[in-house]
Amino acid sequence: MTTWSEFTAEAPRISEIFRRRHTATSNLCMLATLRSDGFPRISPVEPLIFEERLVIVGMPGTTKFRDLIRDPRFCLHTATEDTMVSEGDAKLFGVVVDDPDTALHARFAEYLYEDSGLDLRNQPFDHFFVADLISASSVEVGDDLLKVTIWKPGEGERVVEKR
């Protein structure tokens, strides 16, 4: 599994853009999953980086999580309303792993409570999805130049520039 610290070490530009855009939208991202009929589904989600893991949790029983149970592949895209993408944007691709570690769940619930006041302490998580990243990309626009940065594990980042 590619941890968040491994990802940030191998893809510093993409991870910085993801973090900046993630923070700017109060953690809102768009999650792409595959429906049972094979068509894509796009859903809002608020993933968190916790203990060097990208955690994707939310209300139990949602269709997006049923999608991930059936097919763990996903794409996570930073939310933007800027059609010029002046602040950049990032996409993360991977598969989720449903981590059964109840001690991890308890620490995460405590973190949520301290961070936001949302109290999930002493409540079991229906699913606790942790992202295993398999690739990522970012886009930056400026000075009549489009920069697309691409990452795959073990390959570092490469930049494609387009005018």
Side-chain angles (χ1 to χ4, degrees):
M1 177 176 283
T2 303
T3 66
W4 187 258
S5 60
E6 290 168 335
F7 170 61
T8 58
E10 290 186 23
R13 187 71 197 138
I14 298 171
S15 61
E16 187 277 325
I17 291 170
F18 179 87
R19 278 284 254 223
R20 182 167 33 84
R21 296 301 310 137
H22 184 245
T23 300
T25 59
S26 300
N27 303 333
L28 179 65
C29 289
M30 300 307 291
L31 176 70
T33 58
L34 292 172
R35 300 180 338 180
S36 61
D37 61 8
F39 283 92
R41 180 185 322 275
I42 299 175
S43 307
V45 68
E46 297 173 25
L48 292 172
I49 299 160
F50 177 73
E51 294 185 0
E52 297 306 320
R53 298 168 176 90
L54 178 61
V55 177
I56 303 172
V57 296
M59 292 187 311
T62 61
T63 52
K64 62 188 162 208
F65 294 137
R66 284 196 300 270
D67 290 347
L68 289 173
I69 292 164
R70 184 181 52 263
D71 186 328
R73 295 176 293 172
F74 72 89
C75 176
L76 190 63
H77 187 253
T78 54
T80 185
E81 58 184 38
D82 176 11
T83 58
M84 299 306 291
V85 197
S86 59
E87 296 297 317
D89 79 356
K91 294 179 194 148
L92 309 179
F93 301 87
V95 295
V96 293
V97 176
D98 195 355
D99 193 325
D101 182 352
T102 56
L104 172 64
H105 302 179
R107 292 190 307 275
F108 182 77
E110 188 63 39
Y111 169 79
L112 278 179
Y113 180 70
E114 291 172 9
D115 184 58
S116 68
L118 178 61
D119 195 358
L120 299 177
R121 297 173 300 171
N122 301 315
Q123 296 181 38
F125 281 86
D126 196 22
H127 296 282
F128 195 91
F129 293 121
V130 176
D132 180 5
L133 300 177
I134 59 170
S135 67
S137 65
S138 66
V139 172
E140 298 170 275
V141 179
D143 300 324
D144 295 324
L145 184 65
L146 171 69
K147 288 184 184 179
V148 180
T149 305
I150 302 161
W151 167 82
K152 290 187 178 175
E155 297 180 16
E157 293 178 321
R158 68 182 172 90
V159 178
V160 176
E161 295 183 351
K162 298 179 181 184
R163 292 215 174 263

